[in-house]
Amino acid sequence: MRGSGNNLDARAAELVNQAAGLREELWKRAADSDRDRRLPDEVMARVTGAGLTRLLVPESNGGHETSVRTLLEVCTELGRGCVSASWVTGVLNVGNFVVSLFPERTRAEVWDDDHDARTALILGAPVRTVEAVDGGVRVSGEWPYASGSLHAEWIGGLLLADTGTGLQPHFALMPAADITVRDTWHFVGMRGTGSNTVVADRVFVPAHRLLPYKPLIDGESDGLVPADRRYRNSLTGVFMVGLIGSLLGGADTALRYALEHAGTRRVAGTTFASQAESPTARLALAAAATRLDTARLHARRLADSVDEHARAGENPDLLTRARARMDATHVVQQCRQTVDDIVTLYGSSALDESNPLQRLWRDIHTGSRHAGFGMGVPEQVYGSALVGQDPRTISMLV
């Protein structure tokens, strides 16, 4: 099983540095994003202007066409400033990655006039109200939890269509101008993502903006998408990496915040001058730091595995793909436990609305419960693959 490299090339390192340079501004605006339930337009303009939403866009379409490891590190840096901003950036990069799998005509339509065009991609049950018409389909329906939809020029969702191989799910790519956003994202965490519901009312989708979903998720896209799309058969791995960096960054900031205050924060009801003098507090900090290190190691193994298969021109097998989902799930579980431990150590004032720890705690608890990580499904998927069974009998997301 692959996944151990740690190096970034000069271009990737510069992109990560660009993300790190935005961290302070994101931190200052994070409370505004949380309150307003959306990212400030200026924040997304800065992220986009730094080129951080076209990491996986082909060079021929004005993108960086960089590594999946770069996507992880960029989102981790952004997550240290604002978990919501990082989550949206990850989702928009994954959306643009899916656009890169479409035919050249579609890619030109998206990026020829705007190299920074962004795509919000929603996975979920495919919309079924689809009418075949001359040149494509008309679709009516809705897709909830559309992270990034408030800052996207294009929307990607699943629908059921027959493009010559029978009725099956397809990615459908639609201009955001043709879509209505309904304000439904009233959640306790990840509020800044504005993950509302997008609604289509008889929107026309031409055939060149429909792409079969099952071959992509099954890692069987050879011949369907351009052969130079290196990650074409690692869809689950790319999806997972696009989500976990934000939580890694948020957990890291929570740990740093606790460490910064350990030397001055008293331990209530004791004679210790500070948490730094308390053996129990030091044990808790050591455990939290180790959990976070564990999360980083699994995240990097996942990203490096995807990259190494791509460089070798090899398609990952089912066991590798199942492990990708398990690795991502373990990452978010460790991030969640890390921030829980830190909040418990810090005490009840961590949950004061003025304390940034409570926002980090809410964001990580919400993000870590994304359907891709939840209800024991990743464990079942990986366990099935480990004993030689087909994990797709449990979940398509492998």
Side-chain angles (χ1 to χ4, degrees):
M1 291 185 176
R2 300 169 182 241
S4 59
N6 287 314
N7 296 323
L8 296 175
D9 61 27
R11 181 176 60 167
E14 176 55 30
L15 290 166
V16 175
N17 287 337
Q18 291 274 6
L22 294 175
R23 189 170 62 211
E24 184 175 349
E25 179 180 354
L26 294 180
W27 179 252
K28 290 178 180 177
R29 300 299 300 270
D32 296 338
S33 301
D34 183 70
R35 181 195 65 233
D36 297 339
R37 297 187 300 109
R38 62 168 295 152
L39 301 175
D41 290 339
E42 315 87 78
V43 164
M44 277 312 301
R46 289 290 304 277
V47 172
T48 303
L52 302 182
T53 57
R54 46 190 170 94
L55 300 177
L56 301 180
V57 174
E59 289 183 339
S60 60
N61 297 114
H64 299 295
E65 201 169 345
T66 189
S67 66
V68 172
R69 176 65 181 275
T70 306
L71 173 63
L72 172 66
E73 301 297 346
V74 163
C75 288
T76 300
E77 286 297 334
L78 295 177
R80 290 187 173 113
C82 176
V83 180
S84 287
S86 176
W87 183 277
V88 168
T89 301
V91 168
L92 293 175
N93 272 291
V94 170
N96 279 349
F97 162 71
V98 170
V99 174
S100 79
L101 305 178
F102 278 77
E104 176 56 37
R105 177 182 177 184
T106 309
R107 303 198 305 272
E109 194 172 356
V110 173
W111 288 311
D112 268 8
D113 294 332
D114 182 4
H115 288 169
D116 283 321
R118 300 161 296 198
T119 306
L121 181 75
I122 314 103
L123 288 183
V127 166
R128 294 175 175 270
T129 306
V130 180
E131 175 191 0
V133 297
D134 186 31
V137 300
R138 288 197 182 278
V139 57
S140 297
E142 59 184 47
W143 296 266
Y145 307 134
S147 300
S149 56
L150 296 174
H151 304 279
E153 288 71 38
W154 293 84
I155 303 294
L158 291 176
L159 56 74
L160 284 177
D162 186 348
T163 56
T165 57
L167 193 65
Q168 61 174 303
H170 286 67
F171 282 120
L173 191 61
M174 301 161 282
D178 293 348
I179 297 293
T180 301
V181 178
R182 195 165 73 235
D183 184 5
T184 57
W185 186 247
H186 297 268
F187 282 61
V188 298
M190 287 291 196
R191 292 166 57 83
T193 63
S195 301
N196 294 296
T197 299
V198 294
V199 182
D201 182 11
R202 292 187 52 78
V203 171
F204 174 65
V205 184
H208 67 274
R209 287 201 254 115
L210 293 170
L211 190 64
Y213 172 66
K214 193 171 187 302
L216 298 180
I217 204 69
D218 280 347
E220 298 170 353
S221 70
D222 292 340
L224 175 67
V225 303
D228 61 349
R229 299 285 85 84
R230 294 184 300 163
Y231 303 113
R232 63 189 181 278
N233 289 319
S234 296
L235 207 63
T236 298
V238 176
F239 283 171
M240 295 293 100
V241 171
L243 297 180
I244 60 179
S246 61
L247 305 187
L248 279 169
D252 180 77
T253 293
L255 177 60
R256 290 172 189 239
Y257 189 90
L259 291 171
E260 288 170 3
H261 290 81
T264 57
R265 184 161 179 76
R266 296 292 301 270
V267 181
T270 75
T271 59
F272 294 116
S274 68
Q275 288 183 337
E277 300 300 321
S278 165
T280 303
R282 293 198 295 257
L283 288 171
L285 290 167
T290 302
R291 284 186 187 280
L292 186 54
D293 282 342
T294 299
R296 286 195 194 97
L297 289 169
H298 276 271
R300 289 173 176 172
R301 181 177 75 167
L302 165 55
D304 291 343
S305 176
V306 175
D307 283 334
E308 289 170 21
H309 278 88
R311 282 194 294 267
E314 298 175 0
N315 295 336
D317 58 21
L318 277 174
L319 180 59
T320 301
R321 285 156 45 199
R323 193 191 73 175
R325 190 167 174 190
M326 186 68 252
D327 271 348
T329 300
H330 189 65
V331 168
V332 304
Q333 290 169 345
Q334 295 303 306
C335 289
R336 186 170 66 216
Q337 188 60 59
T338 295
V339 75
D340 275 352
D341 290 347
I342 289 167
V343 166
T344 299
L345 166 69
Y346 199 88
S348 58
S349 62
L351 300 178
D352 186 301
E353 289 185 355
S354 66
N355 191 317
L357 282 177
Q358 54 80 26
R359 185 181 66 250
L360 294 166
W361 181 71
R362 289 187 287 109
D363 285 347
I364 291 171
H365 267 267
T366 302
S368 66
R369 286 175 169 82
H370 183 279
F373 311 128
M375 297 301 292
V377 175
E379 290 85 347
Q380 295 178 52
V381 163
Y382 188 38
S384 294
L386 284 171
V387 298
Q389 297 178 5
D390 188 341
R392 293 170 297 184
T393 62
I394 297 170
S395 172
M396 289 183 67
L397 190 59
V398 178

